[in-house]
C-alpha cells in the first residue's frame, strides 16, 4: 500500500464535517482557528495532496510551491474563486473546485435583508432608539422607500444567486430588471425580468443589487459615473465582492447625496472598511456573512470535502472550476 494522502483544511470545519474528514484514510490536519497567519498556512500545506481553502486564502504560486509537486486538488470553500491564481494552478496541473448552488438561498436572503434595511432605514432607526432620543410618530418620521409600490430592482449578474434574489423581490411586488445573461435568459423570461445594458439598468433602478463575479472586467464596475446614474434616491446593495465597487467613489456619492443609501456585505479591502462608510447613517454594513447560515456553511464544507475525496479516489470532482 502507498502512503496515505496528505490533506490540510485551512479552517475549522463546521458541523459533523470535521469527523467525516478525520474518518477518511488520509493523513489529515485541520486548522484550529480561522485566522491562521499566512506563514503558518504555507507551513501547514507542505507535502499535501489536497488543500481545502477559504476565500481569504491566496492560492498563488507561493502556496502551490509550498505544497509541492504532489498537490492534486485545491477545494475552495466558496462559490467565488477570485482568490485563486488560475494560471498558476493550470501550469501545475492542479484541479480547483468550488461550492456553487449551495449558498444561493442564504446569500439571496441576506441581499433582501440589506435591501429592506436600507430602504426602510431599519439600522438607522435602531441606532436612533438605542440613543434614547425623544421621538413622536408623525407622517414624515423615518420615511423610506416603499418597495411594494412599484419600486424597481436592478440585478447586475443574473446567475443563480441573482435569480434567487429576483424571486424574492418579485414576492414583494417589485419590478425586476437585470443585465444581459446567456445562461439564464430563459429563466429571466419566465419570471418576466427585462434584460438591459448596465447604464440603462442603473438609470431605471430604485435599488441596484450586485451579484457578478470579480475578475478583470468587473473590478470597479461601479464607480463614480455609475453611482451618478443610480441617482440621489437610489440604493446600492453589494453581496458579491468588494472590489466590484470603487469604495472611495461610493463614500463620496453617499456623503454628497448623489446616492441615497447602500447595504454592504463585502468591502474593497476586507477586513478593512473605509472610515468614511463607518461615519454615515445611510449605509448598512455587515461583515461578509452572505453564506453565514448554519445549514449552508455545513453543506459548503461537505461539498469541498467530497470534491477532495473524489479527486484523491481518481474520480472527477463534483464541482470543478473551469481552468480554460
Amino acid at each position: 500500500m502507498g502512503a496515505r494522502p496528505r490533506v490540510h483544511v485551512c479552517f475549522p470545519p463546521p458541523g459533523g464535517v470535521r469527523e467525516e474528514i478525520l474518518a477518511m484514510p488520509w493523513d489529515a490536519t485541520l486548522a484550529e482557528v480561522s485566522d491562521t497567519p499566512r506563514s503558518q498556512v504555507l507551513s501547514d500545506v507542505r507535502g499535501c495532496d489536497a488543500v481545502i481553502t477559504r476565500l481569504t486564502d491566496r492560492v498563488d504560486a507561493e502556496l502551490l510551491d509550498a505544497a509541492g509537486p504532489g498537490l492534486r486538488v485545491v477545494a475552495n470553500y466558496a462559490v467565488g474563486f477570485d482568490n485563486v491564481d488560475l494560471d498558476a494552478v493550470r501550469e501545475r496541473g492542479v484541479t480547483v473546485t468550488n461550492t456553487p448552488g449551495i449558498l444561493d438561498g442564504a446569500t439571496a436572503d441576506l441581499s433582501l435583508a440589506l435591501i429592506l434595511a436600507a430602504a426602510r432605514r431599519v439600522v438607522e432607526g435602531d441606532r436612533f432608539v438605542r440613543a434614547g432620543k425623544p421621538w413622536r410618530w408623525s407622517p414624515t418620521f423615518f420615511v423610506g422607500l416603499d418597495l411594494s409600490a412599484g419600486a424597481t430592482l436592478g440585478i447586475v449578474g443574473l446567475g443563480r444567486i441573482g435569480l434567487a434574489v429576483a424571486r424574492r423581490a418579485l414576492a414583494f411586488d417589485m419590478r425586476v430588471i437585470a443585465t444581459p445573461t446567456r445562461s439564464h435568459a430563459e429563466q429571466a423570461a419566465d419570471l418576466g425580468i427585462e434584460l438591459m445594458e448596465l447604464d440603462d439598468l442603473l438609470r431605471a433602478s430604485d435599488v441596484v443589487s450586485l451579484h457578478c463575479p470579480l475578475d478583470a472586467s468587473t473590478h470597479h464596475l461601479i464607480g463614480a459615473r455609475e453611482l451618478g446614474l443610480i441617482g440621489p434616491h437610489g440604493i446600492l446593495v453589494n453581496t458579491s465582492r468588494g472590489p466590484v465597487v470603487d469604495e472611495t467613489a461610493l463614500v463620496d456619492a453617499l456623503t454628497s447625496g448623489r446616492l441615497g443609501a447602500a447595504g454592504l456585505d463585502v468591502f474593497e479591502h476586507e477586513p478593512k472598511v473605509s472610515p468614511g462608510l463607518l461615519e454615515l447613517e445611510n449605509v448598512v454594513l455587515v461583515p461578509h456573512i452572505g453564506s453565514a447560515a448554519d445549514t449552508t456553511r455545513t453543506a459548503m464544507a461537505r461539498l469541498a470535502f467530497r470534491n477532495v475525496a473524489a479527486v484523491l479516489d481518481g474520480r472527477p470532482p463534483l464541482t470543478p472550476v473551469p481552468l480554460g
Side-chain angles (χ1 to χ4, degrees), residues 121 123-137 141-142 279-281:
R121 303 171 66 181
V123 177
E124 185 182 352
D126 177 83
R127 286 192 292 259
F128 182 91
V129 172
R130 290 178 188 275
K133 298 179 180 179
W135 61 277
R136 177 180 296 178
W137 187 94
F141 184 60
F142 268 96
E279 299 167 1
L280 294 169
E281 289 287 336

Side-chain angles (χ1 to χ4, degrees), residues 195-226:
L195 302 179
M196 58 182 68
E197 297 299 328
L198 179 62
D199 282 6
D200 294 330
L201 177 143
L202 298 176
R203 293 188 186 96
S205 297
D206 298 292
V207 181
V208 174
S209 191
L210 304 178
H211 302 285
C212 49
L214 174 62
D215 56 28
S217 68
T218 60
H219 183 268
H220 283 190
L221 179 70
I222 305 298
R225 186 186 72 85
E226 290 76 19

Side-chain angles (χ1 to χ4, degrees), residues 33-56:
V33 295
S34 293
D35 56 350
T36 307
R38 173 74 170 182
S39 58
Q40 184 62 50
V41 172
L42 296 176
S43 176
D44 289 339
V45 303
R46 295 194 187 283
C48 277
D49 297 271
V51 179
I52 301 180
T53 54
R54 307 155 297 174
L55 58 87
T56 53

